[in-house]
Each structure stands twice: as structure tokens, then as C-alpha cells.
């Protein structure tokens, strides 16, 4: 029986069983739940990382690369509240203290984030001290290659260490990426040309969409080097990437990249009885390669290093106690707006960034009326 038919039959059967007698309670179909039974039943890091100076360093998946356990988020560095000079100072200060993982994206702040990072890395050999990542929105080969070339120019480099398919938010995104003429063809061509070294994808909407992307990749015999996703004390309770996606990544040697520790500050507005350092400790306690955090001030930078300095692996009891404090605020995703609203969905608001449909789609459906 085909999978679709099986699932439809299972749901239909559950509905008929619940409606079998008048007045009987209707049972919900056995679908994947939004909330784990035990939020603390998570994979924990077994090795906090190699400590050198002020920083911990962890393996990048199954590769031989070592990257800093804290990554510098590119979005915040491009905000208008940060000057060009301050962005350069923060990047240099972070690298000097041990941060090697640099996060960015083709669309961040209309390119200003990449321009600022490129200008900072071009000085005094800083480019060769970091593992540089950026993300591309394009879903077609043509659009992906164009965006990669633009990012290379802005970042003032001849190669980006890691390029990721950005905002895998929709169930059709995996099919578009892997289609004939899709973005993956562009990434692989750019890799052959030496413009990038590793390939990953990102998303923040629903862990089941991440699993769909991984399934489509596996069907085509492709192994991602990395996957970026939300990891925080709220996520552990609701549509959890840490529960549904992280174990698969660890098992298959794919580098998990943690983001949305604070959700661009929105999660902190819950006023849960949790200190900012504890949010960072929770993410560091999971077997992720790096925790990418927004740094737009000296306070943010110092906080990130303090989190590394004071981090020691927590056992399940300690994690359970921390998650118990976050539970009242987390069950409906109210403060994880990247999951429950369109606020963080840049490609939904700017569909042109994805590019046009590939030729085969245009041929099959040239017009829609």
C-alpha cells in the first residue's frame, strides 16, 4: 500500500472508530504530537568541546573541521542601530577572543550584513581565521548561482566555507531545491568551482518540514553537511526541533547548527524566571556543533563568552528543572513567533528572492487561471 493511502486510511479509520456510537468520545487520530511527553528526554552533549582560551570548539559533523561553540550571527551586525565601525570592531573582537564561526545570509538587511562582514574580514588576515557561512534563498539553479556570486563579492572572498539553502519553510521547498534545474544543482556546480566547501539547509517553521527535506535528500542519495534550526528552552515544549530532528542529525553525522536561542529577543519578553546565560547553557548542553547568537553590542559579546566560561554539562534532572520554568510560557509557541507567525518569514514576504519556477514547471503549467 502506498504511504499516502496508508495515512489516509489510518486517519479515516480513527475518525470512524471515534464516531461509532452516539455520544461516544471522539478520539484524536494518532498523529505526531506538537508537544513531547517528556520535554527533558533529549540527547545531551557528552563532551562540552575542546577548551582553548575563552572558547570551546566542537566538531562540524563528521568532518575533521573544528568550529567555535558560539557563532556570531550576521543579521544583528547589519542592523541600522549598529554602525559600520562598530560591526567591524565586534567582529574583530569576537575573532580575537576565539569565535571562528561566522553566520550570514544573502538577504540579511538587503546585503548590508554581508558587506559589513566582508569589510571586517578583509582586514589583517581575519578571513583565514574563520569558518564562514552564508545562506541563499534561490530555489532554482540560476537564482542560487547568482546569489552565491553576489555573496562572494560582498564578503570579499573567493570561497564560502558553508552555504545553506535558506528558510526551508514549506513542504514543497525540498522538491523545488532538488528538482531538475533546482537550487541544489547550482550549489553542486559552485562547489565544483571551489566557491563553497560544504552544503546545508536552514528553517525555523516546523521540524516536520526539516524531516521532509532530509527524507527527500536521502531518497536522492544526498548527505547534508549541516542543518540549522531553532534550539531553545521554549522549543523543547512545542513543535520541537530538538526532539524530532536533532537525534537524526547526530545519528547521521550531520552538523546541527543551533539558532533562535533568544528568538531575536522575543523569547526574553516572556519574562520567564530564566537568566539569559541559562538560555545559552541549555543550547550548549545539546549535541550541537555551534550556537549562533546575535551580537550587536559589547554586552552581547561578553555575555556569550561568559556563557562558555561558566558552562558545564547538565544532567537530565537539571535540564528538567530548567524546562519546568519555561513550560508555562512555551506550550502554544506564543514567544516562538518564527514558528507561529509570518514575522520571521523573509522569503514569504519577498517571494521574488526564490526565483521563478524551473522550466519543467512552466512547461506543464504555463498559466494558472
Amino acid at each position: 500500500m502506498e504511504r499516502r493511502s496508508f495515512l489516509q486510511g489510518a486517519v479515516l479509520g480513527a475518525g470512524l472508530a471515534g464516531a461509532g456510537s452516539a455520544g461516544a468520545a471522539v478520539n484524536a487520530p494518532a498523529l505526531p504530537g506538537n508537544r513531547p511527553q517528556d520535554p527533558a528526554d533529549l540527547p545531551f552533549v557528552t563532551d562540552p568541546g575542546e577548551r582553548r582560551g575563552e572558547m570551546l570548539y566542537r566538531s562540524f559533523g563528521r568532518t575533521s573541521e573544528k568550529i567555535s561553540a558560539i557563532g556570531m550571527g550576521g543579521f544583528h551586525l547589519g542592523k541600522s542601530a549598529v554602525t559600520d565601525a562598530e560591526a567591524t570592531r565586534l567582529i574583530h573582537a569576537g575573532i580575537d577572543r576565539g569565535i571562528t564561526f561566522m553566520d550570514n545570509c544573502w538577504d540579511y538587511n538587503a546585503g548590508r550584513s554581508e558587506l559589513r562582514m566582508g569589510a571586517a574580514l578583509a582586514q589583517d588576515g581575519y578571513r583565514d581565521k574563520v569558518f564562514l557561512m552564508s545562506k541563499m534563498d534561490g530555489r532554482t539553479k540560476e537564482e542560487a548561482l547568482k546569489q552565491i556570486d553576489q555573496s562572494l563579492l560582498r564578503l570579499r572572498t573567493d570561497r564560502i566555507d558553508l552555504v545553506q539553502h535558506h528558510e526551508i519553510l514549506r513542504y514543497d521547498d525540498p522538491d523545488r531545491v532538488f528538482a531538475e534545474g533546482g537550487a541544489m544543482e547550482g550549489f553542486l556546480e559552485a562547489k565544483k568551482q571551489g566557491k563553497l566547501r560544504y552544503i546545508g539547509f536552514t528553517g525555523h517553521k516546523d521540524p516536520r518540514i526539516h524531516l521532509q527535506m532530509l527524507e527527500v535528500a536521502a531518497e536522492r542519495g544526498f548527505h547534508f553537511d549541516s542543518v540549522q534550526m531553532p534550539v531553545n528552552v521554549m522549543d523543547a515544549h512545542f513543535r520541537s526541533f530538538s526532539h524530532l530532528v536533532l537525534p537524526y542529525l547526530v545519528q547521521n553525522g550531520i552538523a546541527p547548527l543551533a539558532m533562535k536561542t533568544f528568538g531575536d529577543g522575543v523569547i526574553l519578553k516572556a519574562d520567564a524566571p530564566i537568566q539569559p546565560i541559562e538560555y545559552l547553557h541549555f543550547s550548549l548542553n545539546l549535541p550541537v556543533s555551534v550556537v549562533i547568537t546575535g551580537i550587536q553590542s559589547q554586552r552581547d559579546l561578553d555575555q556569550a563568552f561568559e556563557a562558555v566560561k561558566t558552562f558545564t554539562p547538565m544532567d537530565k534532572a537539571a535540564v528538567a528543572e530548567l524546562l519546568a520554568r519555561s513550560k508555562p510560557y512555551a506550550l502554544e509557541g506564543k514567544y516562538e513567533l518564527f514558528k507561529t507567525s509570518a514575522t520571521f518569514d523573509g522569503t514569504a514576504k519577498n517571494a521574488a528572492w526564490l526565483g521563478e519556477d524551473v522550466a519543467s514547471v512552466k512547461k506543464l503549467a504555463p498559466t494558472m487561471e
Side-chain angles (χ1 to χ4, degrees):
M1 180 182 294
E2 292 185 357
R3 181 175 59 181
R4 180 180 297 176
S5 300
F6 172 80
L7 289 174
Q8 289 175 338
V11 173
L12 179 60
L16 291 175
S21 58
V26 177
N27 296 318
L31 298 174
N34 281 333
R35 301 173 186 84
Q37 291 184 344
D38 181 0
D41 185 18
L42 292 163
F44 299 139
V45 70
T46 56
D47 179 1
E50 177 188 352
R51 190 174 291 276
R52 300 199 303 265
E54 293 187 77
M55 183 51 61
L56 291 168
Y57 298 87
R58 296 181 174 182
S59 296
F60 179 68
R62 64 182 183 183
T63 75
S64 60
E65 303 276 358
K66 290 281 189 178
I67 58 176
S68 57
I70 292 291
M72 185 171 283
F75 178 77
H76 291 73
L77 290 166
K79 286 187 172 184
S80 58
V82 180
T83 65
D84 290 350
E86 179 65 359
T88 294
R89 189 192 71 79
L90 287 169
I91 291 169
H92 289 175
I95 297 170
D96 289 342
R97 294 174 68 178
I99 292 178
T100 63
F101 191 94
M102 295 286 127
D103 161 269
N104 225 303
C105 181
W106 171 84
D107 71 49
Y108 283 170
N109 298 294
R112 186 166 58 204
S113 288
E114 288 188 329
L115 287 168
R116 284 179 172 174
M117 188 167 285
L121 295 180
Q123 299 177 24
D124 303 322
Y126 276 99
R127 170 64 186 93
D128 293 329
K129 299 177 182 179
V130 302
F131 186 94
L132 181 60
M133 179 268 280
S134 199
K135 319 175 195 80
M136 308 300 147
D137 299 319
R139 297 294 187 258
T140 66
K141 177 181 179 180
E142 179 183 8
E143 197 67 25
L145 285 170
K146 182 175 73 174
Q147 291 173 6
I148 289 170
D149 285 342
Q150 288 175 328
S151 290
L152 287 166
L153 287 173
R154 293 170 181 164
L155 292 167
R156 304 192 191 186
T157 186
D158 61 355
R159 85 281 181 198
I160 304 173
D161 297 296
L162 169 63
V163 176
Q164 302 193 104
H165 300 284
H166 190 219
E167 288 198 352
I168 302 301
L169 308 177
R170 316 152 189 83
Y171 275 104
D172 66 331
D173 278 336
D175 301 297
R176 295 183 70 179
V177 165
F178 281 96
E180 183 179 352
M184 186 57 80
E185 290 186 5
F187 277 34
L188 292 173
E189 181 172 311
K191 184 176 181 179
K192 287 181 180 179
Q193 295 171 349
K195 296 178 179 179
L196 62 92
R197 298 172 60 214
Y198 300 107
I199 295 174
F201 75 90
T202 83
H204 55 249
K205 188 59 64 180
D206 192 304
R208 286 160 287 205
I209 299 174
H210 268 49
L211 294 176
Q212 174 75 0
M213 184 70 158
L214 290 164
E215 181 181 8
V216 171
E219 289 175 348
R220 288 156 175 76
F222 183 83
H223 183 277
F224 279 107
D225 297 303
S226 67
V227 171
Q228 187 169 335
M229 59 190 186
V231 174
N232 60 69
V233 297
M234 301 289 185
D235 169 81
H237 296 284
F238 176 76
R239 292 207 322 236
S240 177
F241 288 84
S242 298
H243 282 277
L244 295 180
V245 181
L246 184 57
Y248 178 91
L249 303 183
V250 173
Q251 180 181 359
N252 288 276
I254 302 171
L257 313 182
M259 65 174 173
K260 308 296 187 195
T261 303
F262 303 117
D264 199 19
V266 174
I267 290 175
L268 294 175
K269 294 177 182 178
D271 288 329
I274 301 170
Q275 296 300 312
I277 290 287
E278 293 181 291
Y279 283 92
L280 288 165
H281 282 171
F282 173 83
S283 297
L284 287 168
N285 201 60
L286 299 184
V288 298
S289 295
V290 60
V291 177
I292 301 166
T293 186
I295 295 173
Q296 63 184 79
S297 69
Q298 188 64 41
R299 183 201 65 179
D300 296 337
L301 186 65
D302 291 340
Q303 176 178 268
F305 279 94
E306 182 65 19
V308 171
K309 178 182 177 181
T310 57
F311 174 70
T312 56
M314 296 181 284
D315 60 16
K316 185 175 181 180
V319 171
E321 189 279 329
L322 176 58
L323 291 178
R325 284 185 268 151
S326 69
K327 182 177 180 179
Y329 311 90
L331 292 178
E332 296 178 353
K334 179 180 179 181
Y335 297 100
E336 289 190 283
L337 294 181
F338 43 86
K339 293 180 182 176
T340 58
S341 77
T343 302
F344 290 81
D345 301 350
T347 55
K349 299 174 183 178
N350 300 275
W353 294 349
L354 302 177
E356 297 182 355
D357 288 322
V358 295
S360 60
V361 172
K362 292 180 178 179
K363 182 178 180 180
L364 289 169
T367 59
M368 291 296 292
E369 297 181 357

